[in-house]
Amino acid sequence: MKQFKNIRWSFLVLMLTLNFGCDQISKKIVRNEISDYEHISIIKDRFTLLKVENTGAFLSLGDQMPYIFRLIILTGLPLLFLGYGLYFLFFKKNLPSTMQIALCFLIGGGIGNLYDRIVHGSVTDFMHMDFYIFQTGVFNFADISIMIGIGILLIQSIKSKTVTQETD
């Protein structure tokens, strides 16, 4: 039983580290190689690199708030939620595997952005997509990790509701 716990913990730490590591390596490369607001076309003008330092939250929400509010809302609250998420991930027994993986993506991405905010004072965003009909905001790998985690939880939720409805 103890060996299973060690394997589980090792897998979770590996998943968290990969999410955080990929995000931080990509941001370091972007910080060193791309100038602020430099526009680099990767796939025509559909996928571009555009380095932006985001002092707000998702899509720069809150970047105009006074510093103390940004500190509390964009650093303090995420720190509490990520701490609880890590506790939940490692100490909650009988979590489904899909939920554990989803939480690793969510927490790993969250830690990546929080680390940037604490160490650099802003989050480095650098990817942008234009799908003709709509465009994304500028985002990073931590944001992708968070969205993958949300997607996994959403799919799991829909599947569990479908199974529940079929058994009724």
Side-chain angles (χ1 to χ4, degrees):
M1 187 57 124
K2 185 174 172 86
Q3 184 177 3
F4 175 75
K5 183 178 178 181
N6 289 339
I7 292 170
R8 177 180 169 265
W9 277 44
S10 296
F11 174 76
L12 296 175
V13 168
L14 176 65
M15 288 288 295
L16 289 166
T17 304
L18 285 172
N19 275 277
F20 176 77
C22 289
D23 174 61
Q24 289 303 303
I25 289 169
S26 66
K27 288 174 182 174
K28 184 172 179 67
I29 291 168
V30 167
R31 280 188 212 102
N32 291 335
E33 302 296 328
I34 300 177
S35 302
D36 288 344
Y37 302 103
E38 181 178 353
H39 188 97
I40 301 171
S41 181
I42 302 297
I43 302 174
K44 299 187 181 179
D45 280 337
R46 302 298 133 224
F47 180 67
T48 58
L49 299 181
L50 171 68
K51 180 183 164 196
V52 176
E53 293 298 330
N54 182 358
T55 57
F58 180 70
L59 298 175
S60 297
L61 294 173
D63 66 342
Q64 299 299 318
M65 287 190 304
Y67 174 76
I68 190 69
F69 290 121
R70 272 198 329 238
L71 183 66
I72 293 167
I73 294 171
L74 301 179
T75 304
L77 289 177
L79 194 58
L80 288 173
F81 284 114
L82 290 170
Y84 178 73
L86 285 167
Y87 171 79
F88 187 81
L89 178 64
F90 283 98
F91 295 103
K92 175 76 172 171
K93 295 182 182 187
N94 302 323
L95 276 178
S97 297
T98 53
M99 181 173 276
Q100 291 177 41
I101 292 169
L103 288 173
C104 284
F105 277 101
L106 283 165
I107 295 167
I111 291 172
N113 281 341
L114 183 62
Y115 176 85
D116 274 12
R117 193 169 307 287
I118 292 169
V119 172
H120 302 286
S122 63
V123 175
T124 303
D125 291 327
F126 57 91
M127 291 182 274
H128 177 262
M129 298 178 84
D130 183 346
F131 294 104
Y132 294 106
I133 303 168
F134 73 94
Q135 297 182 37
T136 66
V138 183
F139 59 96
N140 58 44
F141 279 109
D143 299 330
I144 293 171
S145 289
I146 292 166
M147 294 306 294
I148 289 171
I150 290 170
I152 292 169
L153 290 176
L154 185 64
I155 291 168
Q156 181 185 0
S157 175
I158 291 169
K159 280 185 177 181
S160 70
K161 284 184 182 180
T162 304
V163 169
T164 304
Q165 287 176 352
E166 288 175 359
T167 58
D168 288 348

